[in-house]
Amino acid sequence: MKGRIRLTAPASFSCRYLPGLLEGFRKDYPDISVELLTSNEELNMSQRAAEIALRVTNSPPDHLIGRKLADIPWGFYASADYLERNGRPLHLADLGQHDLIGATGSLARRDGFAMIDREYRTGVVCRCDDLMTMAAFASQGLGLALLPADVASQSLQRVLVLGDVPANQVWLLTHPDLRKVERVRALMQFLTPAIRDAFELD
């Protein structure tokens, strides 16, 4: 098999998981070139803007086909340096004694961030509207960040799981017209178990 495949995925997956996975795919299929389009927006797959989409969604578009690969939980994360200085919260009620990284913009309306503003607003020391930026703030020891596990960098430690926030669903999708294209099928068959293994989170 040879040719090009355009794969679109969110920034968190593109930076943390896909480089290593695509290296493995290239070893198996050296004549297939993969173009990775880093985007959180839905691309027009009917017009071949991308052949395969890795997406976080609880309602995948009806015009695409694919499968759910994983459920990714939300939790509070902090750096080792922050925890050494401030201790580790054991219960949700302990958040009142900690510095928190809050959300702004549309992100602030999500359930977990709305709870932070409702119950622990006085502990919020900074805010941003992007999850990867929150993870970077937490890595620098600014406070606890509420993050999905795929976004939390490897330098962060999970201190609490927030079960009240629905897990993110990860889907691998393609257009029905492309499911029999050999190179598309090969990449989807390669990524399905690899991503499931990668997202078996502690």
Side-chain angles (χ1 to χ4, degrees), residues 7-8 11 51 62 98 109 119 150 189 200:
L7 166 67
T8 177
E51 285 82 30
D62 291 337
H98 284 270
R109 295 192 289 272
E119 300 184 25
D150 63 291
Q189 289 176 344
E200 283 184 358

Side-chain angles (χ1 to χ4, degrees), residues 32-71:
I32 297 178
S33 172
V34 179
E35 292 185 4
L36 179 58
L37 309 175
T38 301
S39 172
N40 294 314
E41 302 300 323
E42 182 180 343
L43 299 182
N44 190 332
M45 297 178 72
S46 299
Q47 296 182 6
R48 306 300 188 264
E51 285 82 30
I52 300 173
L54 183 64
R55 282 290 176 260
V56 175
T57 178
N58 289 358
S59 54
D62 291 337
H63 66 282
L64 300 180
I65 61 170
R67 64 200 69 172
K68 187 180 81 167
L69 301 185
D71 290 313

Side-chain angles (χ1 to χ4, degrees), residues 50-189:
E51 285 82 30
I52 300 173
L54 183 64
R55 282 290 176 260
V56 175
T57 178
N58 289 358
S59 54
D62 291 337
H63 66 282
L64 300 180
I65 61 170
R67 64 200 69 172
K68 187 180 81 167
L69 301 185
D71 290 313
I72 299 181
W74 287 74
F76 283 94
Y77 289 81
S79 68
D81 177 65
Y82 175 88
L83 295 175
E84 184 177 347
R85 288 185 283 111
N86 298 280
R88 179 183 292 266
L90 301 178
H91 307 284
L92 202 60
D94 296 339
L95 295 180
Q97 285 83 52
H98 284 270
D99 294 335
L100 302 173
I101 299 166
T104 190
S106 60
L107 195 59
R109 295 192 289 272
R110 296 192 65 156
D111 289 346
F113 297 110
M115 180 273 294
I116 290 173
D117 277 341
R118 185 173 62 250
E119 300 184 25
Y120 305 104
R121 177 183 290 270
T122 57
V124 174
V125 296
C126 61
R127 296 178 181 274
C128 60
D129 63 352
D130 176 75
L131 293 172
M132 291 187 70
T133 306
M134 286 186 183
F137 282 1
S139 295
Q140 293 299 315
L142 270 71
L144 303 178
L146 176 61
L147 301 167
D150 63 291
V151 173
S153 68
Q154 293 173 320
S155 65
L156 295 175
Q157 299 180 28
R158 188 170 66 190
V159 294
L160 293 171
V161 175
L162 198 59
D164 292 341
V165 176
N168 287 350
Q169 295 182 9
V170 182
W171 288 76
L172 190 64
L173 303 163
T174 190
H175 192 276
D177 293 346
L178 298 174
R179 60 183 167 181
K180 294 184 179 180
V181 176
E182 286 190 347
R183 64 183 183 277
V184 172
R185 186 168 66 246
L187 182 55
M188 292 189 73
Q189 289 176 344

